[in-house]
């Protein structure tokens, strides 16, 4: 019983430490905001952080794993490891509301619709993160990272990144 | 412990991995050469998706094989005759129209294929496929839009897109082939039977090519052999570049 309590306490501390890791490509978001941090397990004193990639080829995953290990080390956990799981596949639906608000403030339009109902030429309605107008236009399906598309606002003329919905 | 399905499962996973890697490599060849910066980014992103899919598939193939080969060993240390990719994806990039039409032909198949594979009884393949399906949805949309823009564009872009279609069409038959290795896996719910997906692929072709004012080529003689390791001369050239570092400096890491 006492040990179970200790484990849950350790888990909370480890979660706080791991959750503080920022996405290296979108530093306003933590991996908890993104939904990349799936779980923290504590067993026999070893902390296991479970993460999931946003895209198959996301080059940030190695960096994120390394930063989690560093964060856990700094928080005083001697034994830790990071495990990557693929199932269920990450979806933008897991991004927290707080995460979406942070993205908008940062100038990136957060994902809009629920994922998975994409028609071949289905158009998203994306609000401009600068002026809020819905009079926007997609410039390119692929942006500066795999998870973003390039858009522009026809009201305020500013270009912006849109975090794609998957 | 080897089971009955290990060898076919290894082969099947390897085929999917090789197709993803070779197409990913082909797209990466465009980076820095694209007509506009948005397309440079798009090729980089699509290539990254495919290489990411390949990595997950190779890692799993190595695990299934159980001989200690990891993703790098499978990607870098096999010769052309051991590669099992579709012939379509090793075809040269040609011009922009050629690359986009090739991407369209493949993605229009891969998107529904991975959606179906996401229901595989093999949990790892299902997990990799669920993610890949979402990525391929963007590829087919992007490539279809370009196919329409080029086909329904200037006389020059129309002619080039039509030429690309004629040139690549003979490689589309292989996409739907099923050999005994795959048949055995289809029967136990691990692999996807491509036959029922053909109608959807045909519809995508007809819709997009129609809008692009391109003429769908007739199904004539179809090239085949990638899954048996019989490749066009292009694959060796791809591998000479892709594998150079590991061949010249075995075990090099960074």
């Amino acid at each position: 019983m006492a040990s179970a309590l200790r484990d849950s306490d350790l888990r909370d501390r480890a979660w706080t430490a791991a959750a503080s890791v920022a996405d290296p490509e979108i530093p306003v978001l933590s991996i908890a905001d993104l939904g990349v941090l799936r779980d923290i397990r504590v067993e026999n004193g070893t902390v296991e952080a479970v993460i999931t990639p946003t895209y198959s080829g996301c080059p940030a995953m190695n960096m994120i794993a390394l930063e989690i290990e560093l964060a856990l080390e700094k928080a005083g956990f001697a034994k830790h490891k990071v495990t990557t799981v693929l199932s269920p596949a990450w979806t933008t639906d897991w991004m927290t509301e707080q995460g979406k608000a942070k993205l908008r403030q940062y100038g990136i339009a957060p994902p809009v619709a629920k994922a998975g109902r994409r028609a071949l030429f289905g158009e998203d309605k994306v609000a401009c993160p600068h002026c809020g107008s819905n009079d926007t236009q997609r410039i390119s399906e692929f942006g500066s990272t795999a998870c973003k598309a390039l858009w522009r606002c026809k009201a305020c003329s500013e270009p912006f990144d849109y975090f794609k919905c998957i | 412990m080897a089971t009955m399905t290990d060898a076919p499962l290894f082969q099947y996973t390897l085929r999917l991995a090789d197709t993803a890697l070779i197409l990913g490599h082909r797209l990466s060849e465009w980076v820095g050469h694209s007509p506009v910066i948005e397309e440079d980014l798009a090729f980089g992103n699509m290539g990254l998706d495919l290489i990411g899919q390949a990595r997950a598939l190779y890692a799993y193939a190595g695990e299934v094989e159980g001989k200690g080969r990891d993703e790098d060993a499978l990607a870098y240390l096999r010769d052309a005759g051991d590669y099992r990719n579709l012939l379509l994806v090793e075809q040269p990039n040609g011009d922009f129209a050629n690359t986009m039409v090739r991407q369209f032909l493949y993605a229009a198949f891969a998107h529904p294929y991975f959606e179906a594979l996401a229901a595989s009884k093999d949990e790892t393949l299902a997990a990799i496929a669920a993610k890949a399906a979402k990525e391929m949805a963007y590829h087919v949309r992007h490539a279809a839009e370009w196919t329409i823009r080029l086909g329904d564009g200037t006389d020059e872009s129309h002619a080039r897109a039509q030429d690309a279609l004629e040139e690549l069409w003979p490689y589309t038959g292989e996409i739907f082939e099923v050999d005994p290795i795959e048949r055995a896996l289809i029967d136990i719910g691990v692999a996807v039977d491509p036959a029922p997906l053909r109608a959807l692929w045909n519809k995508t072709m007809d819709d997009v090519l129609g809008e692009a004012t391109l003429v769908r080529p007739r199904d004539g003689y179809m090239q085949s052999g990638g899954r048996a390791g019989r490749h066009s001369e292009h694959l060796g050239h791809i591998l000479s570049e892709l594998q150079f570092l590991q061949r010249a400096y075995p075990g090099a890491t960074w």
Side-chain angles (χ1 to χ4, degrees):
Chain A
M1 192 62 195
S3 137
L5 276 176
R6 264 203 305 280
D7 274 0
S8 112
D9 181 46
L10 279 178
R11 187 191 173 279
D12 288 349
R13 276 182 43 221
W15 177 276
T16 308
S20 71
V21 170
D23 180 315
E25 306 210 46
I26 311 170
V28 288
L29 288 188
S30 74
I31 56 171
D33 291 331
L34 265 171
V36 161
L37 180 64
R38 287 282 262 281
D39 197 10
I40 292 281
R41 298 173 193 146
V42 179
E43 206 172 327
N44 303 325
T46 297
V47 176
E48 181 186 14
V50 182
I51 57 173
T52 194
T54 53
Y55 280 77
S56 299
C58 179
M61 289 310 285
N62 290 346
M63 183 74 169
I64 288 173
L66 192 67
E67 300 245 339
I68 291 174
E69 302 243 24
L70 279 172
L72 291 172
E73 188 78 38
K74 274 191 200 152
F77 295 98
K79 289 188 286 180
H80 42 78
K81 62 176 177 179
V82 176
T83 311
T84 302
V85 294
L86 292 174
S87 181
W90 183 83
T91 154
T92 31
D93 296 347
W94 294 350
M95 193 182 289
T96 62
E97 286 308 315
Q98 191 193 1
K100 288 181 188 170
K102 283 192 210 166
L103 265 185
R104 205 175 293 115
Q105 276 165 14
Y106 191 59
I108 298 174
V112 280
K114 286 253 175 205
R117 294 190 297 267
R118 179 167 303 283
L120 185 53
F121 296 112
E123 271 299 329
D124 301 318
K125 285 264 177 262
V126 179
C128 170
H130 305 299
C131 74
S133 168
N134 280 315
D135 189 15
T136 58
Q137 181 184 28
R138 176 158 55 83
I139 302 172
S140 177
E141 197 78 81
F142 297 91
S144 55
T145 64
C147 52
K148 293 193 289 260
L150 286 176
W151 282 61
R152 85 174 135 227
C153 177
K154 292 197 270 186
C156 72
S157 305
E158 286 290 327
F160 62 91
D161 272 337
Y162 164 54
F163 200 109
K164 292 190 296 204
C165 202
I166 63 166
Chain B
M1 257 331 218
T3 67
M4 286 278 286
T5 59
D6 277 0
L9 183 59
F10 170 69
Q11 279 298 324
Y12 179 63
T13 309
L14 197 62
R15 290 171 182 184
L16 297 173
D18 285 347
T19 292
L21 178 69
I22 297 302
L23 186 57
H25 183 82
R26 275 294 189 219
L27 295 184
S28 77
E29 292 173 353
W30 270 101
V31 176
H33 301 274
S34 304
V36 289
I37 193 166
E38 286 81 3
E39 288 316 297
D40 230 50
L41 290 170
F43 281 132
N45 274 311
M46 291 193 291
L48 208 54
D49 283 343
L50 289 159
I51 291 168
Q53 292 162 18
R55 287 189 60 183
L57 290 162
Y58 280 134
Y60 184 50
E63 205 181 299
V64 170
E65 188 191 36
K67 291 181 183 166
R69 289 203 282 184
D70 62 5
E71 53 183 281
D72 287 341
L74 289 169
Y76 293 131
L77 303 176
R78 283 178 305 136
D79 283 330
D82 297 325
Y83 264 74
R84 295 290 180 264
N85 56 283
L86 295 171
L87 296 176
L88 174 69
V89 301
E90 71 193 42
Q91 297 312 303
N93 283 338
D95 58 19
F96 186 74
N98 221 292
T99 297
M100 271 306 166
V101 169
R102 187 187 60 203
Q103 196 65 15
F104 172 59
L105 296 175
Y106 174 70
F109 166 77
H111 176 227
Y113 188 85
F114 281 124
E115 277 191 335
L117 188 61
S120 169
K121 285 191 178 152
D122 185 292
E123 283 176 16
T124 307
L125 284 181
I128 295 169
K131 185 148 285 292
K134 293 178 171 194
E135 292 159 357
M136 296 318 290
Y138 278 97
H139 293 217
V140 68
R141 191 157 101 164
H142 188 71
E145 284 181 356
W146 268 110
T147 300
I148 292 167
R149 195 180 303 182
L150 295 169
D152 193 23
T154 63
D155 289 347
E156 175 79 13
S157 71
H158 176 87
R160 286 184 182 228
Q162 186 66 46
D163 283 351
L165 199 56
E166 306 281 351
E167 195 181 314
L168 294 168
W169 200 259
Y171 297 98
T172 58
E174 192 186 34
I175 293 175
F176 296 97
E177 279 178 8
V178 170
D179 68 355
I181 289 176
E182 264 174 55
R183 179 54 61 196
L185 292 174
I186 290 167
D187 290 344
I188 57 170
V190 167
V192 170
D193 186 353
L197 303 176
R198 189 152 202 164
L200 180 61
W201 187 82
N202 280 332
K203 186 179 180 317
T204 310
M205 289 300 123
D206 291 342
D207 289 353
V208 172
L209 297 181
E211 205 173 325
T213 72
L214 293 169
V215 180
R216 177 180 172 143
R218 293 239 308 266
D219 286 345
Y221 173 76
M222 290 291 182
Q223 298 282 357
S224 174
R227 282 161 179 167
R230 293 190 306 276
H231 292 278
S232 58
E233 71 273 25
H234 309 298
L235 183 63
H237 292 277
I238 294 174
L239 295 184
S240 69
E241 193 175 302
L242 193 153
Q243 298 182 335
F244 168 78
L245 198 96
Q246 279 304 320
R247 300 289 192 174
Y249 304 95
T253 57
W254 63 80

